[in-house]
Each structure stands twice: as C-alpha cells, then as structure tokens.
Amino acid sequence: MKFSLASATLASVMAFTAVGISAPAHALDDQQKKEIGAYIKEYLIANPEIMLEVQDALERKQSEARNAKASEAVSSNQKALFESKFDISLGNPKGDVTLVEFFDYNCGYCKRAMSDMDNILKSDKNIRVVLKEFPILGPESLAAHKVSNAVKLVAPEKYPEFQRTLLGSTGRANEDSAMEVATSLGIDEAAIRKSMEESPNTPQVQEAYSLANNLGITGTPSYIIGTEAVFGAVGADPLKEKIANMRTCGKATCS
C-alpha cells in the first residue's frame, strides 16, 4: 500500500503529538522538538489549504463568542436599547419588529447604508427603526451629535429630516455643519444653543458607549434585531431576512 507524503507526514505528526500528550513536556529533548516542528512545517507546506480552514474555524469561533456576548447584553439592556428616552424612532411606532441602528454622522459606511434603511422603511410598513447616536469618530462627531441632541429636544418633529440630511451630506459633520442643517429646516439657532447649554447630550453619549461596550460594538453602523447584533453595513437584504425571521420564529436567525 502506498502513502502520500502528506499522509505519511500527518501520521508522523500524529505519532509525535501522541507522544507529547502521553508524556510530560520535559520528556521531549531538543532534537525531538525540532523533528516535530519539521514534520508540522512539511505537512503545512504540502497542504496549505489547512491554514484557510484554521482561519475559517477561528473566525467562526470568534463570531460565535461575539454573538453570544451581544445576545446576553441585549437581554440585559432591553429598555436602554429599545425604549431609551434619548432616542427617536422612524417608521411605525407600533411596529411588530424593532431594528436599532448605532450610527455616527461622520461614518462613511453609515452614509452608504442610508439607502438600506430607506429601502427597509419604504418596503416594510410594520418596522420600527430606533436611531442610536454613537459619536466615536472624534471631536467633530461629538460636536455634531450635541447639535443633533438639541434638535431632538427643541424640534423633535424635525429630527428625522435633520438626521437624514446631515448624515447624507458630504464633508465632515461638525457643529457648524449640523447647525447649518438645523437652521435650514427653520429651527431657531438661539433655541438650539440654549438647549445645548442647559441639556447637554452627555448622558445620551454615556448610555450609548456603555451599551456598545456591553454588546461588543466597536464600529458603525451596527444593528440590533431581536437579541442579535449585526456588525457593519451588511446591506438591506440580510437585514430584511432577519426581520422576516423575527416574524416567523421570533428570532433573528431561525434554527
């Protein structure tokens, strides 16, 4: 019977591994350790696709751990996620499924993902989308979100248009550009500045940061559907599928 080099090498690796498992680590001398290393190297060179399998397995393991952490955090933070006093929602306020979006006004991926939200809101009249402001892209983002928070307090009925306009604009969002959008919608600048002074958005930002930390969210956009977190601008179709799953089996991913 003939054996391939890879098979022979694998057998050798397994044999040496067995020795390593059955005997204390100090039982292997330097020469044996070198031989084990050489066999492993030879096998991997002959079968480099194994490294891809290992990488895939690692990514799956990391993803599962991240999703498990997010699921636990969602269950423990229902009110802050879905009913926070700091947030305004789009779509149907009594929708049967709620989608939470963490966003930053200076996030390029969030800007591109606007069309995904528009698509979902237009095609699904029973969806509720919670806008979770999450300024993580520097001082200009923090400043823009301060103005945004004041708009929510001063003219909440104009916030959806303000949010979409500022997020969809070109260039960096900052206090000046945010104020320009707000005043273009007829909101009084003096009222906004008074609100910024009297009711700063510090509690809102702290809540968003705390939630993101618990959920394992490190970038935008990120979404919450049911007890599942979705990281990154994945597109409208994957989000729609998870929304449909919520209606079918009560979970974002049906087993």
Side-chain angles (χ1 to χ4, degrees), residues 13-32:
V13 171
M14 292 175 66
F16 275 101
T17 302
V19 170
I21 292 174
S22 61
H26 65 265
L28 298 177
D29 59 31
D30 290 342
Q31 182 59 34
Q32 289 173 319

Side-chain angles (χ1 to χ4, degrees), residues 70-97:
S71 179
E72 182 179 348
V74 170
S75 299
S76 303
N77 294 276
Q78 290 280 309
K79 186 173 179 61
L81 274 169
F82 301 109
E83 304 292 342
S84 174
K85 65 181 180 179
F86 300 120
D87 302 331
I88 284 181
S89 63
L90 306 177
N92 187 342
K94 296 183 179 180
D96 63 342
V97 176

Side-chain angles (χ1 to χ4, degrees), residues 87 101-107 110 131-149 152 172-173 201-209 212 218-220:
D87 302 331
E101 178 187 7
F102 285 75
F103 75 95
D104 183 305
Y105 283 116
N106 280 312
C107 166
C110 299
L131 299 173
K132 185 74 67 176
E133 301 203 9
F134 184 40
I136 58 172
L137 297 177
E140 289 182 318
S141 286
L142 283 167
H145 281 273
K146 286 181 180 179
V147 176
S148 183
N149 182 67
K152 279 189 287 188
R172 293 284 295 178
N201 68 333
T202 305
Q204 176 261 315
V205 172
Q206 289 176 337
E207 180 181 86
Y209 284 5
T218 57
T220 52

Side-chain angles (χ1 to χ4, degrees), residues 109 113 116-117 221 223 225 229-240 242:
Y109 293 106
D116 299 331
M117 289 297 98
Y223 308 93
I225 306 175
V230 180
F231 305 99
V234 297
D237 289 343
L239 295 176
K240 285 183 176 181
K242 291 186 179 298

Side-chain angles (χ1 to χ4, degrees), residues 89 125 170 174 190-191 230 252:
S89 63
K125 300 305 179 184
T170 59
N174 52 35
V230 180

Side-chain angles (χ1 to χ4, degrees), residues 147-163 178-193 195:
V147 176
S148 183
N149 182 67
V151 169
K152 279 189 287 188
L153 297 175
V154 173
E157 74 285 354
K158 294 186 177 182
Y159 174 79
E161 185 177 1
F162 168 87
Q163 191 266 349
M179 191 68 72
E180 183 178 347
V181 171
T183 55
S184 73
L185 298 175
I187 307 173
D188 182 61
E189 180 174 345
I192 294 175
R193 294 198 178 280
S195 178

